[in-house]
Amino acid sequence: MTNHPSAKKITICQPDDWHVHLRDGTLLKGVLRSTAKVFRRAIVMPNLQPPITSIDAAFAYRDRILASLPRELSFTPLMTAYLTDDFSSKVLEKGHSKGIFFAAKLYPANSTTNSASGVSDLRRIDFLLETMERIGLPLLIHGEVTDPDVDIFDREAVFIDRHLTPLLTRFPDLRIVLEHITTEHAVKFVESNGPNLAATITPHHLHINRNAMFLNGLRSDFYCLPVVKREKHRLALRKAATSGKPCFFLGTDSAPHLRSSKENACGCAGIFNAPFAIESYVEVFEQEDSLDSLEAFASKNGSQFYGLPSNKDSITLIKESQTVPKYIEILNDQGQLEHLVPFHAGETLSWRIETKNSNGSE
Ligand code: DOR
Ligand code: ZN
């Protein structure tokens, strides 16, 4: 689709979200619509409590997602296995052949939310990676070291040098997605190590740098992992996302936490960007004079990497401003009213979704 940089309206093939946290229980019910109203498919992260480490758990979680889906929406959740030190390769292979494991997620142990059962040492799962390489099951990586001696702002770069580089040599045919990249180093690394390596980029890493976390006080709403970095990294990510290069695609990493869990002595990492995710990305593409590349990033590159067809439907965005609510009300598991703060809360965004166009063939 051709979308001129000065366009006031753009139509793109319906996008997919290649990295999202949908949670469970009342939170799942509260957040699912935000994703499913725009995205046709999404790769759903398995870091629940307890994590998704079995075929049955993945089927059951998918059923809960589909049961929470508003009737009028067509949405396909693509499920992931949560790798642990003692995950069995047979289970991985069986889950893949049954069509329930679309990919497997590597959380280095204690790297982020609910990652305590993650992998303690990458070398311990070589046998799993061999299986994945053989059967064509993609590996999705939270690429940060957890070594407390490494500065938190360097943990992605150190992971790439210490772990990812040798991993690519050991498993040249394994398809890998380095999730939610945050640095210039990651951009360059991914660009020069294709075609089996790709990366997702979030809206928040395109909009904010690390100053946002400390603007007139401590701003937990902007705390996520990997943590946002300095301005030069944000600029490198914007260039990468809007480049149209097939190795970069949309993954929101929308990660809702109740406000009470964010504004806490030990606040949770995660930014809930699902409600205005596509509008947030469009804003960046317009500012970079790259509306022409939005469709590749949002709707084509990811499906191509994963060997799936593009979506048949399309969405139209129109340049009309809208103000993002300061919070969204939601019931917690005890039935009490709580708040979720969406990314861009209180800001005015320049674009909104005009229509979702069905070609009626699904
Ligand atoms: O900020 C984050 N939140 N990063 C992650 O890797 C996990 C996520 C979550 O699940 O809350
Ligand atoms: Zn994530």
Side-chain angles (χ1 to χ4, degrees), residues 19 21 45 105 107 180 253:
H19 182 128
H21 299 266
M45 291 299 125
K105 178 73 190 271
Y107 287 107
H180 41 56
D253 196 20

Side-chain angles (χ1 to χ4, degrees), residues 184-306:
E184 189 177 27
H185 185 54
V187 166
K188 288 192 177 143
F189 187 82
V190 171
E191 278 174 345
S192 50
N193 283 283
N196 285 337
L197 178 67
T200 51
I201 305 181
T202 77
H204 41 281
H205 289 102
L206 296 172
H207 276 278
I208 56 174
N209 64 29
R210 63 193 196 176
N211 288 347
M213 286 187 293
F214 307 105
L215 188 70
N216 302 327
L218 198 53
R219 305 276 184 150
S220 56
D221 292 335
F222 298 127
Y223 172 55
C224 64
L225 287 168
V227 70
V228 287
K229 308 292 192 303
R230 359 172 127 253
E231 180 64 359
K232 73 165 183 174
H233 297 295
R234 184 182 78 97
L235 297 179
L237 293 168
R238 285 169 77 101
K239 206 160 159 236
T242 58
S243 68
K245 291 185 182 167
C247 56
F248 300 116
F249 44 84
L250 187 156
T252 62
D253 196 20
S254 179
H257 290 278
L258 297 173
R259 174 170 247 179
S260 55
S261 310
K262 296 276 300 168
E263 290 182 358
N264 191 292
C266 188
C268 294
I271 295 182
F272 177 44
N273 59 35
F276 297 88
I278 195 71
E279 294 90 332
S280 180
Y281 281 117
V282 179
E283 195 111 346
V284 171
F285 278 72
E286 187 190 32
Q287 287 162 359
E288 297 290 325
D289 275 346
S290 301
L291 285 174
D292 271 356
S293 305
L294 178 67
E295 186 174 55
F297 177 78
S299 320
K300 299 280 179 176
N301 295 348
S303 50
Q304 197 182 320
F305 180 84
Y306 285 112

Side-chain angles (χ1 to χ4, degrees), residues 20-316:
V20 70
H21 299 266
L22 293 179
R23 309 304 194 205
D24 212 343
T26 53
L27 204 46
L28 166 63
K29 291 191 175 64
V31 304
L32 179 59
R33 175 186 280 278
S34 296
T35 292
K37 73 178 196 293
V38 178
F39 298 106
R40 180 62 185 80
R41 298 168 287 201
I43 296 187
V44 182
M45 291 299 125
N47 61 332
L48 302 183
Q49 193 71 276
I52 305 297
T53 53
S54 71
I55 294 171
D56 286 351
F59 271 119
Y61 185 28
R62 186 171 71 180
D63 287 349
R64 294 197 295 281
I65 295 169
L66 293 174
S68 307
L69 190 65
R71 281 252 205 106
E72 71 280 11
L73 298 178
S74 302
F75 172 72
T76 305
L78 302 167
M79 310 310 290
T80 51
Y82 179 112
L83 297 180
T84 60
D85 286 352
D86 48 16
F87 207 105
S88 126
S89 55
K90 279 206 182 96
V91 170
L92 215 46
E93 197 162 352
K94 195 164 162 205
H96 177 57
S97 68
K98 280 176 174 274
I100 189 67
F101 291 156
F102 180 76
K105 178 73 190 271
L106 165 69
Y107 287 107
N110 304 314
S111 54
T112 186
T113 309
N114 296 342
S115 63
S117 327
V119 173
S120 65
D121 176 357
L122 248 176
R123 296 304 296 234
R124 292 179 69 156
I125 60 158
D126 271 5
F127 70 105
L128 294 175
L129 302 181
E130 269 161 36
T131 302
M132 291 171 63
E133 185 178 47
R134 176 169 53 77
I135 66 179
L137 185 68
L139 175 70
L140 316 183
I141 300 185
H142 182 106
E144 287 191 290
V145 293
T146 54
D147 184 343
D149 291 340
V150 178
D151 189 283
I152 190 163
F153 292 99
D154 297 333
R155 287 183 187 175
E156 181 179 274
V158 174
F159 181 90
I160 290 171
D161 297 344
R162 222 182 253 180
H163 300 294
L164 190 52
T165 304
L167 193 93
L168 295 184
T169 311
R170 294 208 299 284
F171 303 99
D173 294 327
L174 180 61
R175 267 178 312 141
I176 299 176
V177 180
L178 185 57
E179 301 287 346
H180 41 56
I181 56 169
T182 62
T183 56
E184 189 177 27
H185 185 54
V187 166
K188 288 192 177 143
F189 187 82
V190 171
E191 278 174 345
S192 50
N193 283 283
N196 285 337
L197 178 67
T200 51
I201 305 181
T202 77
H204 41 281
H205 289 102
L206 296 172
H207 276 278
I208 56 174
N209 64 29
R210 63 193 196 176
N211 288 347
M213 286 187 293
F214 307 105
L215 188 70
N216 302 327
L218 198 53
R219 305 276 184 150
S220 56
D221 292 335
F222 298 127
Y223 172 55
C224 64
L225 287 168
V227 70
V228 287
K229 308 292 192 303
R230 359 172 127 253
E231 180 64 359
K232 73 165 183 174
H233 297 295
R234 184 182 78 97
L235 297 179
L237 293 168
R238 285 169 77 101
K239 206 160 159 236
T242 58
S243 68
K245 291 185 182 167
C247 56
F248 300 116
F249 44 84
L250 187 156
T252 62
D253 196 20
S254 179
H257 290 278
L258 297 173
R259 174 170 247 179
S260 55
S261 310
K262 296 276 300 168
E263 290 182 358
N264 191 292
C266 188
C268 294
I271 295 182
F272 177 44
N273 59 35
F276 297 88
I278 195 71
E279 294 90 332
S280 180
Y281 281 117
V282 179
E283 195 111 346
V284 171
F285 278 72
E286 187 190 32
Q287 287 162 359
E288 297 290 325
D289 275 346
S290 301
L291 285 174
D292 271 356
S293 305
L294 178 67
E295 186 174 55
F297 177 78
S299 320
K300 299 280 179 176
N301 295 348
S303 50
Q304 197 182 320
F305 180 84
Y306 285 112
L308 297 175
S310 302
N311 294 316
K312 296 198 172 74
D313 293 348
S314 58
I315 61 165
T316 298

